[in-house]
Amino acid sequence: MTSGNIQLLSETLAKAKAENRAALIAYLPAGFPTVDGGIAAIKAVFDGGADVVEVGLPHSDPVLDGPVIQTADDIALRGGVKIADVMRTVKEAHEATGKPVLVMTYWNPIDRYGVERFTEELAAAGGAGCILPDLPVQESAVWREHADKHGLATVFVVAPSSKDARLATITAAGSGFVYAASLMGVTGTRESVGEQAADLVRRTRATSGLPVCVGLGVSNATQAKEVAAFADGVIVGSAFVQRILDADGDEAAGLDAVRELAGELAAGVRRVS
Protein backbone atom coordinates (compact mmCIF):
# COMPACT_ATOMS: atom_id res chain seq x y z
CA MET A 1 0.00 0.00 0.00
CA THR A 2 1.34 3.40 -0.93
CA SER A 3 1.75 5.95 1.80
CA GLY A 4 1.25 9.67 1.42
CA ASN A 5 3.56 12.42 2.56
CA ILE A 6 2.11 13.75 5.82
CA GLN A 7 5.57 13.22 7.34
CA LEU A 8 7.17 15.43 4.68
CA LEU A 9 4.58 18.13 5.38
CA SER A 10 5.25 18.00 9.13
CA GLU A 11 9.03 18.08 8.59
CA THR A 12 8.74 21.05 6.21
CA LEU A 13 6.71 23.07 8.72
CA ALA A 14 9.08 22.10 11.54
CA LYS A 15 12.09 23.16 9.44
CA ALA A 16 10.57 26.61 8.85
CA LYS A 17 9.96 26.94 12.59
CA ALA A 18 13.56 25.92 13.31
CA GLU A 19 14.64 28.72 10.95
CA ASN A 20 12.55 31.12 13.07
CA ARG A 21 10.14 31.93 10.25
CA ALA A 22 6.71 31.05 8.95
CA ALA A 23 6.29 28.62 6.07
CA LEU A 24 5.03 29.97 2.75
CA ILE A 25 2.07 27.95 1.46
CA ALA A 26 0.82 28.75 -2.04
CA TYR A 27 -2.49 27.79 -3.63
CA LEU A 28 -3.16 27.22 -7.33
CA PRO A 29 -6.05 25.36 -8.97
CA ALA A 30 -5.34 22.30 -11.11
CA GLY A 31 -6.09 22.74 -14.79
CA PHE A 32 -5.48 26.48 -14.74
CA PRO A 33 -4.78 27.88 -17.26
CA THR A 34 -4.39 24.32 -18.61
CA VAL A 35 -3.33 21.10 -16.88
CA ASP A 36 0.25 21.41 -18.12
CA GLY A 37 0.25 25.15 -17.48
CA GLY A 38 -0.96 24.58 -13.94
CA ILE A 39 1.82 22.07 -13.25
CA ALA A 40 4.39 24.53 -14.63
CA ALA A 41 2.96 27.29 -12.44
CA ILE A 42 3.28 25.16 -9.29
CA LYS A 43 6.89 24.34 -10.15
CA ALA A 44 7.55 28.07 -10.67
CA VAL A 45 6.01 28.92 -7.28
CA PHE A 46 8.20 26.29 -5.58
CA ASP A 47 11.18 27.63 -7.53
CA GLY A 48 10.39 31.12 -6.22
CA GLY A 49 10.46 29.98 -2.60
CA ALA A 50 7.16 28.38 -1.57
CA ASP A 51 7.55 25.61 1.02
CA VAL A 52 4.21 23.89 0.40
CA VAL A 53 1.61 24.08 -2.39
CA GLU A 54 -2.12 23.44 -2.17
CA VAL A 55 -3.61 22.24 -5.46
CA GLY A 56 -7.22 23.32 -5.80
CA LEU A 57 -9.71 20.81 -7.16
CA PRO A 58 -11.93 23.02 -9.32
CA HIS A 59 -15.57 22.90 -8.30
CA SER A 60 -18.70 24.38 -9.84
CA ASP A 61 -19.95 25.73 -6.51
CA PRO A 62 -16.89 27.03 -4.65
CA VAL A 63 -18.54 28.57 -1.59
CA LEU A 64 -15.31 29.63 0.13
CA ASP A 65 -13.71 31.15 -2.95
CA GLY A 66 -13.88 34.73 -4.10
CA PRO A 67 -14.18 35.96 -7.69
CA VAL A 68 -10.53 35.50 -8.67
CA ILE A 69 -10.39 31.79 -7.82
CA GLN A 70 -13.91 31.28 -9.16
CA THR A 71 -12.69 32.66 -12.50
CA ALA A 72 -9.74 30.26 -12.52
CA ASP A 73 -11.97 27.31 -11.55
CA ASP A 74 -14.32 28.20 -14.38
CA ILE A 75 -11.44 28.22 -16.89
CA ALA A 76 -10.24 24.84 -15.59
CA LEU A 77 -13.73 23.29 -15.68
CA ARG A 78 -14.38 24.60 -19.20
CA GLY A 79 -11.05 23.01 -20.15
CA GLY A 80 -12.44 19.68 -18.97
CA VAL A 81 -10.27 19.16 -15.87
CA LYS A 82 -10.91 15.84 -14.10
CA ILE A 83 -9.84 14.37 -10.77
CA ALA A 84 -7.24 12.32 -12.69
CA ASP A 85 -5.71 15.65 -13.81
CA VAL A 86 -5.61 16.84 -10.20
CA MET A 87 -3.75 13.65 -9.21
CA ARG A 88 -1.34 14.09 -12.11
CA THR A 89 -0.73 17.69 -11.06
CA VAL A 90 0.11 16.57 -7.51
CA LYS A 91 2.36 13.76 -8.75
CA GLU A 92 4.35 15.81 -11.24
CA ALA A 93 4.72 18.81 -8.93
CA HIS A 94 5.90 16.64 -6.03
CA GLU A 95 8.24 14.48 -8.13
CA ALA A 96 9.84 17.54 -9.74
CA THR A 97 10.49 19.33 -6.44
CA GLY A 98 10.42 16.79 -3.62
CA LYS A 99 8.20 19.22 -1.71
CA PRO A 100 4.83 18.65 -0.01
CA VAL A 101 1.74 19.08 -2.17
CA LEU A 102 -1.79 19.01 -0.73
CA VAL A 103 -5.18 19.04 -2.39
CA MET A 104 -7.77 21.60 -1.35
CA THR A 105 -11.24 20.42 -2.22
CA TYR A 106 -14.87 20.63 -1.31
CA TRP A 107 -16.36 17.39 -0.03
CA ASN A 108 -18.83 16.66 -2.81
CA PRO A 109 -16.27 15.65 -5.50
CA ILE A 110 -14.57 13.22 -3.07
CA ASP A 111 -17.88 11.79 -1.95
CA ARG A 112 -18.88 11.12 -5.54
CA TYR A 113 -15.46 9.75 -6.52
CA GLY A 114 -15.22 7.47 -3.48
CA VAL A 115 -13.19 8.10 -0.34
CA GLU A 116 -11.11 4.92 -0.59
CA ARG A 117 -10.27 5.53 -4.23
CA PHE A 118 -9.46 9.20 -3.69
CA THR A 119 -7.15 8.65 -0.70
CA GLU A 120 -5.42 5.72 -2.38
CA GLU A 121 -4.76 7.69 -5.57
CA LEU A 122 -3.64 10.82 -3.68
CA ALA A 123 -1.16 8.78 -1.64
CA ALA A 124 0.10 7.04 -4.79
CA ALA A 125 0.64 10.47 -6.38
CA GLY A 126 2.84 11.50 -3.44
CA GLY A 127 0.25 13.86 -1.98
CA ALA A 128 0.68 15.10 1.59
CA GLY A 129 -3.00 15.35 2.41
CA CYS A 130 -6.21 17.27 1.93
CA ILE A 131 -7.67 20.57 3.07
CA LEU A 132 -11.43 20.13 3.42
CA PRO A 133 -13.11 23.48 4.05
CA ASP A 134 -16.70 22.27 4.04
CA LEU A 135 -16.46 18.81 5.64
CA PRO A 136 -17.97 18.98 9.16
CA VAL A 137 -15.66 17.34 11.70
CA GLN A 138 -18.53 15.28 13.11
CA GLU A 139 -19.07 13.74 9.65
CA SER A 140 -15.40 13.14 8.89
CA ALA A 141 -14.70 9.75 10.52
CA VAL A 142 -14.72 7.72 7.29
CA TRP A 143 -12.47 10.22 5.52
CA ARG A 144 -10.03 10.34 8.46
CA GLU A 145 -9.86 6.56 8.70
CA HIS A 146 -8.80 6.28 5.04
CA ALA A 147 -6.50 9.32 5.21
CA ASP A 148 -4.71 7.90 8.27
CA LYS A 149 -4.38 4.51 6.60
CA HIS A 150 -2.71 6.15 3.59
CA GLY A 151 -0.44 8.60 5.43
CA LEU A 152 -2.38 11.72 4.44
CA ALA A 153 -2.99 14.86 6.49
CA THR A 154 -6.54 16.02 7.17
CA VAL A 155 -6.52 19.80 7.39
CA PHE A 156 -9.65 21.47 8.72
CA VAL A 157 -10.48 25.16 8.49
CA VAL A 158 -11.23 27.27 11.57
CA ALA A 159 -12.74 30.76 11.47
CA PRO A 160 -12.83 33.78 13.78
CA SER A 161 -16.42 32.83 14.62
CA SER A 162 -15.33 29.41 15.96
CA LYS A 163 -15.87 29.17 19.73
CA ASP A 164 -13.06 27.73 21.86
CA ALA A 165 -14.81 24.41 22.47
CA ARG A 166 -15.40 24.05 18.74
CA LEU A 167 -11.74 24.83 18.03
CA ALA A 168 -10.71 22.04 20.39
CA THR A 169 -13.00 19.56 18.59
CA ILE A 170 -11.65 20.56 15.18
CA THR A 171 -7.97 20.52 16.11
CA ALA A 172 -8.30 17.15 17.88
CA ALA A 173 -9.59 15.62 14.64
CA GLY A 174 -7.14 17.31 12.27
CA SER A 175 -3.55 16.52 11.31
CA GLY A 176 -0.72 18.22 9.43
CA PHE A 177 -1.74 21.75 10.32
CA VAL A 178 -4.79 23.87 11.05
CA TYR A 179 -5.98 26.29 8.36
CA ALA A 180 -7.04 29.50 10.10
CA ALA A 181 -9.28 31.68 7.93
CA SER A 182 -8.16 35.20 8.81
CA LEU A 183 -11.61 36.71 8.47
CA MET A 184 -15.20 35.87 7.78
CA GLY A 185 -15.98 35.71 4.08
CA VAL A 186 -14.45 34.36 0.91
CA THR A 187 -10.93 34.20 -0.46
CA GLY A 188 -9.44 37.28 -2.07
CA THR A 189 -6.95 40.03 -1.44
CA ARG A 190 -7.58 42.50 1.36
CA GLU A 191 -5.98 45.71 2.61
CA SER A 192 -5.33 44.32 6.07
CA VAL A 193 -5.26 40.86 7.59
CA GLY A 194 -5.31 42.16 11.11
CA GLU A 195 -6.04 41.35 14.66
CA GLN A 196 -8.89 38.88 14.18
CA ALA A 197 -6.36 36.47 12.68
CA ALA A 198 -3.82 36.89 15.48
CA ASP A 199 -6.54 36.24 18.06
CA LEU A 200 -7.72 33.15 16.18
CA VAL A 201 -4.17 31.76 15.99
CA ARG A 202 -3.70 32.33 19.73
CA ARG A 203 -6.99 30.61 20.57
CA THR A 204 -6.30 27.70 18.19
CA ARG A 205 -2.81 27.13 19.59
CA ALA A 206 -4.32 26.90 23.07
CA THR A 207 -6.13 23.73 21.94
CA SER A 208 -3.44 21.97 19.92
CA GLY A 209 0.22 21.45 19.16
CA LEU A 210 -0.47 21.47 15.41
CA PRO A 211 1.03 24.32 13.37
CA VAL A 212 -1.52 27.05 12.62
CA CYS A 213 -1.35 28.54 9.13
CA VAL A 214 -3.30 31.64 8.12
CA GLY A 215 -5.02 32.19 4.79
CA LEU A 216 -7.61 34.47 3.16
CA GLY A 217 -6.51 37.98 2.37
CA VAL A 218 -2.70 37.78 2.19
CA SER A 219 -1.43 39.09 -1.14
CA ASN A 220 1.90 40.87 -0.70
CA ALA A 221 5.19 40.73 1.21
CA THR A 222 4.10 43.31 3.80
CA GLN A 223 1.02 41.29 4.73
CA ALA A 224 3.06 38.06 4.66
CA LYS A 225 5.47 39.61 7.15
CA GLU A 226 2.56 40.78 9.34
CA VAL A 227 1.02 37.30 9.47
CA ALA A 228 4.39 35.54 9.81
CA ALA A 229 4.88 37.39 13.09
CA PHE A 230 2.13 35.32 14.74
CA ALA A 231 1.41 32.28 12.52
CA ASP A 232 3.33 29.11 11.64
CA GLY A 233 2.47 29.44 7.96
CA VAL A 234 1.20 32.06 5.54
CA ILE A 235 -1.22 30.87 2.84
CA VAL A 236 -1.54 32.83 -0.41
CA GLY A 237 -3.88 31.91 -3.26
CA SER A 238 -5.80 34.63 -5.06
CA ALA A 239 -2.71 36.79 -5.57
CA PHE A 240 -0.98 33.97 -7.49
CA VAL A 241 -4.08 33.26 -9.55
CA GLN A 242 -4.43 36.97 -10.35
CA ARG A 243 -0.85 37.09 -11.69
CA ILE A 244 -1.67 34.32 -14.16
CA LEU A 245 -4.95 36.01 -15.17
CA ASP A 246 -3.08 39.30 -15.68
CA ALA A 247 -0.62 37.56 -18.02
CA ASP A 248 -3.62 37.14 -20.34
CA GLY A 249 -2.61 33.88 -21.96
CA ASP A 250 1.15 34.57 -22.12
CA GLU A 251 2.34 31.47 -20.28
CA ALA A 252 5.97 32.55 -19.91
CA ALA A 253 4.93 35.91 -18.46
CA GLY A 254 2.53 34.17 -16.05
CA LEU A 255 5.24 31.80 -14.84
CA ASP A 256 7.69 34.67 -14.34
CA ALA A 257 5.03 36.60 -12.42
CA VAL A 258 4.16 33.80 -9.98
CA ARG A 259 7.84 32.95 -9.46
CA GLU A 260 8.54 36.61 -8.68
CA LEU A 261 5.57 36.87 -6.28
CA ALA A 262 6.67 33.69 -4.49
CA GLY A 263 10.13 35.24 -4.07
CA GLU A 264 8.67 38.43 -2.59
CA LEU A 265 6.42 36.50 -0.21
CA ALA A 266 9.26 34.14 0.77
CA ALA A 267 11.32 37.19 1.70
CA GLY A 268 8.31 38.54 3.61
CA VAL A 269 7.91 35.46 5.82
CA ARG A 270 11.64 35.60 6.59
CA ARG A 271 11.67 39.23 7.76
CA VAL A 272 11.38 38.95 11.51
CA SER A 273 12.34 42.53 12.40
Side-chain angles (χ1 to χ4, degrees):
M1 186 180 76
T2 49
S3 183
N5 273 311
I6 185 173
Q7 192 63 34
L8 176 64
L9 175 66
S10 299
E11 287 165 3
T12 301
L13 294 170
K15 181 173 179 283
K17 186 171 187 167
E19 292 171 4
N20 194 30
R21 66 176 179 88
L24 174 59
I25 303 175
Y27 167 94
L28 282 165
F32 169 73
T34 60
V35 177
D36 288 340
I39 293 167
I42 293 167
K43 291 177 185 174
V45 165
F46 272 134
D47 192 36
D51 298 291
V52 179
V53 166
E54 305 170 5
V55 175
L57 194 160
H59 189 47
S60 54
D61 185 26
V63 289
L64 187 77
D65 296 310
V68 172
I69 289 173
Q70 283 187 18
T71 300
D73 276 6
D74 190 48
I75 290 167
L77 290 166
R78 281 203 315 249
V81 72
K82 301 279 189 291
I83 287 181
D85 299 313
V86 178
M87 298 299 179
R88 186 183 138 217
T89 299
V90 171
K91 186 176 197 294
E92 294 194 13
H94 170 64
E95 285 181 351
T97 62
K99 293 186 175 174
V101 182
L102 298 127
V103 168
M104 184 163 186
T105 178
Y106 295 98
W107 180 244
N108 182 259
I110 295 179
D111 197 33
R112 287 172 57 185
Y113 196 71
V115 175
E116 172 65 34
R117 181 180 172 202
F118 190 94
T119 49
E120 198 172 299
E121 290 181 8
L122 183 56
C130 242
I131 301 161
L132 300 160
D134 68 340
L135 177 63
V137 171
Q138 61 272 23
E139 296 171 22
S140 67
V142 171
W143 162 267
R144 286 187 285 131
E145 178 193 331
H146 288 293
D148 291 348
K149 184 170 81 173
H150 289 291
L152 298 167
T154 297
V155 180
F156 289 114
V157 179
V158 298
S161 60
S162 304
K163 301 281 190 285
D164 291 353
R166 175 87 182 137
L167 289 176
T169 303
I170 293 171
T171 57
S175 56
F177 64 92
V178 181
Y179 187 126
S182 66
L183 33 79
M184 301 306 292
V186 297
T187 57
T189 60
R190 304 264 187 327
E191 291 302 310
S192 167
V193 181
E195 289 171 23
Q196 258 192 330
D199 178 61
L200 177 58
V201 170
R202 182 186 55 74
R203 292 195 299 119
T204 305
R205 279 194 179 135
T207 72
S208 171
L210 287 173
V212 184
C213 304
V214 171
L216 270 66
V218 181
S219 61
N220 59 45
T222 305
Q223 290 170 331
K225 180 188 173 188
E226 179 192 349
V227 173
F230 60 79
D232 299 297
V234 178
I235 302 169
V236 181
S238 296
F240 283 113
V241 173
Q242 189 63 56
R243 293 285 176 109
I244 295 172
L245 291 170
D246 289 345
D248 201 23
D250 182 337
E251 187 174 329
L255 295 178
D256 285 345
V258 294
R259 189 182 295 108
E260 179 186 36
L261 178 59
E264 291 165 8
L265 293 164
V269 300
R270 285 168 171 79
R271 287 210 298 269
V272 287
S273 57

